Each structure stands twice: as structure tokens, then as C-alpha cells.
Amino acid sequence: MGSSIKRGAIAAIMSVIALAGLPGLPAAAASSPKAPPLAAGTYRQLPAPELVNVRQLRAAAPGAHTAVARPKLVKNHAAPTLPSPANPGSARKAPQPAGPLSGIQGTVLEQLEAFPGMDITTGVTLFGQDNNIEPPDTQIAAGPDVLVEMVNANMTVWSKTGTRLAQADLNAFYGAPAGYGVTDPRVLYDRNSGRFIASAVAIADTQANNSWNSFVYVAVSQTSDPRGTWAKQALKSTSAVLIDQPKVGTSDDKITLDWSEWIKPGCDPANLSFACFIGEVFSVVDKADMLVGGPGYEYLSGRDTFHYAVVPVQALSSTTTQYMTYNNADPFFLVENQCGQPNPPNQYGACPTIGILSITGSARNNTIAITEADRPTGSSTIPPNAVQLGSAGLIDTGDNRLLTAVWQTNQLWTSSTEGNNCPVANPNGAPQFSCLKIMEVLTDTSPMSVQHEYTLWSGDYSYHPGISLDDAGDVFAVFSRSSSTTYPSAWMTGLPVSTPNNWSTYAQLKAGTGPYDSRTSCGGHNRWGDYSGASVDGGDPTDVWVAGEYAVNDPARNCTWATAIGLFTYSAPTVTSITPNTGPGGTAVTIKGTNFVTGNTTPYFGATPSQSNTTTVVTPWSLTTTAPPGNGWVLVSAATLDGHGPGGPTYKYPRLEAAPGSFAPLIGGVARGNAPPHVSQTTAGPRPSNTGPILSAPSVAEIRQPVRLRRLLLL
């Protein structure tokens, strides 16, 4: 599949924002009770994990595993809609960076790289029919050197320029039993340990035997190279209970998974076609044990029906607290909830909240402790299904549960799909559109506070956002989008740390080329992927990688999907090396560095820019150009729409003696204060005539006299 994804700069300010920040809180919000305590758990020592080497892994045996026909699990069997007042909130506060800013930060969301990721056709070709699954659940994790994409039942490893380096069938990777199929993969790169960490579930073929048996897995790479050895562990197996959407998060010392458990339809006499939720479960494993191949220690909670769709948070900076979060507006039925609604159910308070769980202690030492803060948020509404071009079938946008969450320097950011404020606030009846909801919670205040609650409406349908942060605190969000005039496509936006209320204009990562309607040709229910992927780069934390899905035109079937992978930044470029580092104007030069944008990068030699028609960006880390005329020693730098980066290596023009003895350097200049370099080669020229007196030949006595030299010290 050829790459048709264009790279380039993206305009900075989005013109349509439904909500940024929060107004004052109503009095009722202050009395919102906390959710009941979590169900008590148990401690145990895990058996030694199994080691699996991706390079030596063979594909699963044909026919051993099923293409999972995962049932649709929803809590809102009948979702009433109620009128509601304006959203509550709290004072605004700008996001804070993780530490000292590295380099120069701009406000333009720039696309550095984009290429096709995994698609359903390639998955089936590589691994067989057990990968004939729709739609994709797209995940991306960026290490120092390579990327890992996990989609449904496969893992692929990519270079950062789009070459597929390795692949694995997740059924074989996790060792799923015959008759089971792996689905719902999650993967992250943990900068604290330098390892990739993944989770997934294997479920029995619900269509063939309707058993609803499951296994939930965690896996940790044993080095920063995901193509090598991983330690994998089955944390729980179930009988007649289906595990749904396990999610993984980290702190300095913990790996935490959370999932929902269900029993098959027939359990609810009032809704015989629906499965029944029987509890939320989470597992806390000591990270250090998994890093060395175990055996490890675990705290496994009991089933808890007062929490739902809890997301373990990935820590991007140092903390020993494992955070988890969930939409506590209505964790029971996920219907619209708002302050002041008549006769609110007893299970939740008078106003909607976001729940933040803080886990401390150690599973090894039996000291796990859990506290919960429930902070007021705006009203929340289940999003409607999305319209698309080319089909009357609607895209299933899911519900308004939280989808991804990251933490960095006391800021917790999370995302969901929303039906409120799209654009009607608190719609009395069915919501009109779906949009993105992104929240920031400060975890170092007492009590914790929701500092920003953004609802981003694109004018049509946006859904399934994934988010991450760079080191400066800039927010990056990837999501799906469609309308009556566009096919389901992958899109991007972001929030610069310096402009906390100005989201960047939506940018298309990859346009869909056809409709997605699995009901008519694939026996599905138009369920779009449950989440998109975002990951800060493990080698350059000024950049964030994303992965999203799009629909592909296929005359044979309307459920063909593919994924796109992209790299984005808000940082100015840096220069790390130049080859050659000397020569006259007109010399062809290769420059290495970071954040080079195709069509929008200008190299500078001192204060002089290269001519634009001589510069070619090869990758975000390499470009070629021609040195402009100049003399002396100058620093080489580069500029994009996000600013002029710092001076890098020195470029030396010939005839140094023609340069000034000293000067105050301009941008990229170097002041001469040191001795010139040693001259290793000279070229002979005509000897000048001697116009002074000719000395007489020395006498013999003079020759025998010792010659004393006085050393000249150059200071």
C-alpha cells in the first residue's frame, strides 16, 4: 500500500471551540458524595512469566484461533435524555511543563512524518483469517529507535520513517489457547524503565460455543528493543465471564491493569438481548519484577459494581502514585447526567464528577492503599452515532466513558467522546453531533481540581480521541471524524502550552476513501475502533506519535479499514551535525537534527539562510541544502513556523584570515576568541624578493656559540 499521506505545516488556531475552561461551581456540586469504596482485593505471588522472543516467534497455526466476533457491551440499555443547566467548573490555570523547556516552543502544530500503518488486508495476508477482524483498535508506542503498533490481533514494529521491521501474531505472542482470539490490545512505552508494556484479552469464540471464557494478559519487553524478548503473564482467567477492554497504566514502580467483566445475554429479564455488567476489576503488579522476568507480586481487586470503565493512567514523569480515572457522571447507565436533575439515582450524587483513584504502596509488601477523589465536572451526554459519506449506515461512536489518560508533573489529562455542547448545551432530547471532551485535573491541589474541561466541536462528528503530552506540556489529540460529505478519516489537533485556550486547527492525518458499513456486507454492527493511539517519542520528548484509522474504498465489502501513523511537534528544529563542515558557498551539505518539516524548514549558516530551492527535507531528522556565501566560522541552525532553533555545529568557510578578528555574533554566529586551527597543509607560491640588506656569513666563533631562544608566550 503506497503512502499518499502528505507532510507539512498545519495552521495554528482552531476557529470553532465549544467550551474552554469552566465557569463557577454551583453550591450543590460541593456536596457531591464520593463513590463507595472499591471491593477488597487479595495479594499473591505470580508464577514466573513466560518469555517469548519476537524474532523467533512463528505465526499461530492456521485455524487454531478465531477471528473474534466481540459482542457489543453497553450499559445504557435505554438512555433517557433530560434537560440540564449550564456546566459547572473551576478557575482556569495554564498547563505547566514537565520541567525546563528543551529548545524553543512554538504554537503551530506541525506534521513531521506520516505513513500507512497496519490494515485488514495486510493482517490477513501475514497471519491468516484470525486477523480478519473489524474494526481496528489502534495503539501506538514510540521507543528511542522504533515504533510498536498493535491493532486487534497483531503487533508490528516500524522504523520511524515507515519501514515495517517485524511483525507478530498476538495469538501466538500471548500463547492464547486454541479456540480463543486475542483482541483489545494496548501498548505503551515506559520512559522510566525504557521498556514497552502491553496488555490484551483472549476470549473464546462467542459465536461457536457461546462460552464467554476469557484470559487477560500483561507483557513487558526485556529491553528497549521490542523485537527481542518479552516477559508475558496471564493475570486472570474466567469461566462464563467475558473480560472487556483491559487497559494498562504505569507509575515508577507499578504496572496496573483495569477491565470490566460481563455475563452473556439472558441475565436481564427486561433486556434479554443485552449482556450484564457484573463488576470492574483491576490488578497492580510490582514493575521491578516484570522488568527482570519475574516472578512478580500482584494485588488483584474483587469485582466492583460502583465503578465502570476505569482507565489506569500512564505516568510520563516520575511518581510512585498510580493514578486511575473514570467518568463518574453516571457510571451505572452512562446516560445524560447534570446538576439539578430531578430525583437523581442513589448510586451517584446530585452533580456529575470525574473520579480519580490514587494507588500507593507495594504488592510485594502487602501495602497497597487506595483513595478516591470525585471532582465536579460539566454535564455529560452519550454521543449520537456518526453520519458518513456514501452510506446511510451510521458509525457507532460508543459512549462517553474515558478512553485514554496520561499524567505529567501533577497534571492528569484524559479524553472521551461527548454528546453535550456539540454545539447545543445540555440538549433536551437526542444530541445532534458527537465531539471531543478533554479534561485537565491538577493532582497536587487539596482537593484535586478540574482546571480545564474542553469540548471541541468540529461542525460534524468527531469521536474516539487518544491523547499524549510532550515534555513541554503541549497536548496532542488524535481522533476519528466523518460527516455527510466525508468518509471516516483520521484527524489531529493540539493545545500549545503557551496558549491554553487556543486549540490548533483540525489537521487531517489520512482521509478515508470509502464508507464503512459492516452491517450490510460483513455481519458487524458498524462499530468503529474503540480508541486511537498517541505516544510521546521515547528518543525526542518534544514530539508525539499518533495512530488513527480510516475507511478504505472496497467494491467487494464496505468494512475495509486501514490505519495511519504520524509524528507531530510544537518545537523549533535543532541541528546536531553537518557534513561536510567546511567549504565555500555553494557546497552541498547534509544536516542532521530534529523537527525538520517538509516545505517549511530553512537552514541558516550564521545569519544567512540557505536558498529555499536548494533545501530538501529527507526525514524529520535529515535534510540536504547548499551553503550560502560567507566567510569565517558560523553556527548552523534551522527555522520552521515554530521558531528559529538554537545554533548547532560550526561551519568553516575558507580564508579565515579574511574574517574579522572579533565580532558580536548574530543568530548562529561564533565570536573568534581562540587561536585558529593548526594548518596541516600549505601550497607553495612565488617567493617575494628581499629588499633588505644581505647579512654577512657568520664566523666560526659565531657558529660555535650556543643559540638561546626566548619562548614567546601567546596569551
Side-chain angles (χ1 to χ4, degrees):
M1 197 174 185
S3 173
S4 60
I5 307 173
K6 300 181 71 174
R7 296 179 292 182
I10 298 161
I13 306 300
M14 189 175 71
S15 60
V16 180
I17 298 180
L19 174 66
L22 300 170
L25 286 170
S31 60
S32 296
K34 291 185 176 181
L38 290 163
T42 58
Y43 295 94
R44 65 166 176 160
Q45 183 175 5
L46 296 167
E50 182 181 353
L51 300 180
V52 56
N53 191 304
V54 171
R55 290 187 176 92
Q56 300 171 358
L57 191 65
R58 296 182 179 180
H65 300 280
T66 179
V68 175
R70 187 177 58 197
K72 182 180 179 182
L73 303 175
V74 295
K75 296 186 74 176
N76 54 316
H77 299 169
T81 55
L82 301 171
S84 57
N87 289 30
S90 60
R92 301 174 181 176
K93 180 178 178 180
Q96 300 301 308
L101 299 185
S102 55
I104 297 170
Q105 294 297 117
T107 59
V108 179
L109 180 64
E110 294 191 285
Q111 183 170 304
L112 301 172
E113 184 63 276
F115 51 82
M118 182 53 72
D119 60 83
I120 190 170
T121 303
T122 303
V124 172
T125 300
L126 290 173
F127 307 115
Q129 288 300 312
D130 66 357
N131 272 258
N132 188 15
I133 305 172
E134 56 89 14
D137 288 331
T138 312
Q139 285 283 277
I140 194 75
D145 305 307
V146 297
L147 310 173
V148 173
E149 184 184 26
M150 288 190 177
V151 182
N152 294 342
N154 62 68
M155 173 177 73
T156 47
V157 181
W158 301 82
S159 75
K160 292 183 178 180
T161 54
T163 300
R164 194 174 72 242
L165 305 174
Q167 56 276 326
D169 186 338
L170 290 179
N171 290 296
F173 176 86
Y174 283 111
Y180 285 69
V182 167
T183 186
D184 286 348
R186 291 266 186 161
V187 64
L188 57 85
Y189 179 73
D190 179 46
R191 288 191 292 168
N192 173 270
S193 62
R195 307 293 179 84
F196 290 88
I197 301 173
S199 65
V201 62
I203 64 176
D205 187 351
T206 56
Q207 289 186 336
N209 55 38
N210 203 28
S211 70
W212 283 52
N213 300 341
S214 310
F215 288 86
V216 63
Y217 300 100
V218 66
V220 178
S221 69
Q222 297 301 280
T223 69
S224 62
D225 186 353
R227 294 165 290 182
T229 300
W230 292 63
K232 62 179 182 179
Q233 186 85 59
L235 295 178
K236 186 176 182 180
S237 63
T238 62
S239 177
V241 172
L242 190 144
I243 292 172
D244 185 47
Q245 294 197 31
K247 307 173 190 70
V248 63
T250 56
S251 65
D252 290 354
D253 57 347
K254 302 175 189 68
I255 299 172
T256 301
L257 274 68
D258 183 278
W259 60 86
S260 303
E261 296 191 358
W262 301 73
I263 56 177
K264 58 189 176 184
C267 49
D268 183 355
N271 298 278
L272 293 176
S273 61
F274 286 89
C276 295
F277 171 72
I278 60 172
E280 196 78 0
V281 178
F282 69 92
S283 166
V284 181
V285 177
D286 285 348
K287 184 196 292 185
D289 298 318
M290 292 296 291
L291 297 179
V292 296
Y297 292 82
E298 178 195 37
Y299 175 86
L300 181 66
S301 78
R303 292 188 183 120
D304 185 277
T305 58
F306 291 94
H307 298 77
Y308 178 64
V310 178
V311 181
V313 177
Q314 180 186 3
L316 301 180
S317 60
S318 181
T319 178
T320 56
T321 300
Q322 172 69 71
Y323 294 99
M324 301 199 299
T325 186
Y326 68 106
N327 183 356
N328 197 22
D330 175 4
F332 296 90
F333 302 105
L334 296 177
V335 301
E336 183 176 56
N337 183 28
Q338 61 286 316
C339 284
Q341 71 179 74
N343 302 317
N346 293 329
Q347 293 96 330
Y348 54 86
C351 290
T353 64
I354 179 174
I356 303 103
L357 301 163
S358 302
I359 303 175
T360 57
S362 163
R364 174 187 286 269
N365 298 324
N366 294 4
T367 56
I368 292 295
I370 307 163
T371 58
E372 178 167 349
D374 295 282
R375 305 309 305 146
T377 66
S379 57
S380 182
T381 305
I382 290 179
N385 291 333
V387 170
Q388 61 176 322
L389 174 64
S391 174
L394 301 179
I395 297 293
D396 189 338
T397 61
D399 52 40
N400 57 346
R401 74 184 70 184
L402 303 183
L403 299 175
T404 57
V406 293
W407 180 94
Q408 182 168 275
T409 318
N410 298 315
Q411 297 170 75
L412 190 158
W413 288 86
T414 186
S415 64
S416 63
T417 311
E418 181 59 64
N420 195 15
N421 295 299
C422 315
V424 177
N426 306 306
N428 183 10
Q432 297 175 319
F433 297 95
S434 60
C435 48
L436 311 179
K437 188 170 188 177
I438 298 175
M439 288 189 283
E440 177 203 11
V441 178
L442 288 190
T443 59
D444 62 340
T445 59
S446 182
M448 295 183 185
S449 59
V450 178
Q451 294 301 311
H452 285 91
E453 184 174 346
Y454 300 99
T455 301
L456 308 180
W457 180 55
S458 60
D460 43 31
Y461 297 85
S462 301
Y463 37 98
H464 299 319
I467 62 170
S468 191
L469 309 175
D470 63 15
D471 260 13
D474 302 310
V475 183
F476 297 76
V478 58
F479 55 95
S480 298
R481 183 183 179 189
S482 65
S483 71
S484 60
T485 59
T486 57
Y487 301 116
S489 306
W491 288 78
M492 270 294 300
T493 187
L495 180 66
V497 67
S498 59
T499 58
N501 291 318
N502 292 321
W503 286 80
S504 295
T505 301
Y506 284 0
Q508 191 174 82
L509 174 61
K510 177 60 178 177
T513 58
Y516 187 88
D517 190 355
S518 65
R519 287 189 178 96
T520 60
S521 59
C522 302
H525 42 68
N526 281 24
R527 182 174 182 174
W528 201 236
D530 292 321
Y531 35 81
S532 305
S535 172
V536 63
D537 189 279
D540 182 0
T542 65
D543 304 335
V544 169
W545 289 90
V546 299
E549 64 189 278
Y550 58 97
V552 176
N553 182 37
D554 186 341
R557 45 182 261 165
N558 283 339
C559 60
T560 299
W561 54 261
T563 66
I565 298 171
L567 177 64
F568 291 80
T569 193
Y570 280 109
S571 297
T574 62
V575 174
T576 57
S577 71
I578 50 176
T579 306
N581 64 357
T582 184
T587 299
V589 177
T590 297
I591 298 178
K592 304 285 187 179
T594 66
N595 300 332
F596 299 151
V597 181
T598 297
N600 285 297
T601 301
T602 302
Y604 279 77
F605 289 68
T608 306
S610 295
Q611 293 183 357
S612 60
N613 61 358
T614 69
T615 299
T616 300
V617 173
V618 182
T619 73
W621 309 276
S622 176
L623 63 81
T624 59
T625 193
T626 299
N631 58 24
W633 303 353
V634 296
L635 296 183
V636 177
S637 59
T640 64
L641 296 179
D642 276 315
H644 194 142
T650 301
Y651 187 81
K652 305 170 186 176
Y653 286 97
R655 295 183 59 81
L656 294 178
E657 69 277 6
S662 64
F663 61 93
L666 300 174
I667 296 176
V670 177
R672 283 187 57 189
N674 297 323
H678 173 70
V679 178
S680 59
Q681 182 177 353
T682 60
T683 302
R687 184 173 181 178
S689 59
N690 192 337
T691 58
I694 300 177
L695 299 178
S696 60
S699 66
V700 173
E702 289 174 330
I703 294 175
R704 291 177 178 175
Q705 293 298 317
V707 178
R708 296 183 178 180
L709 300 178
R710 187 183 301 269
R711 177 175 295 176
L712 177 63
L713 299 179
L714 299 178
L715 300 178

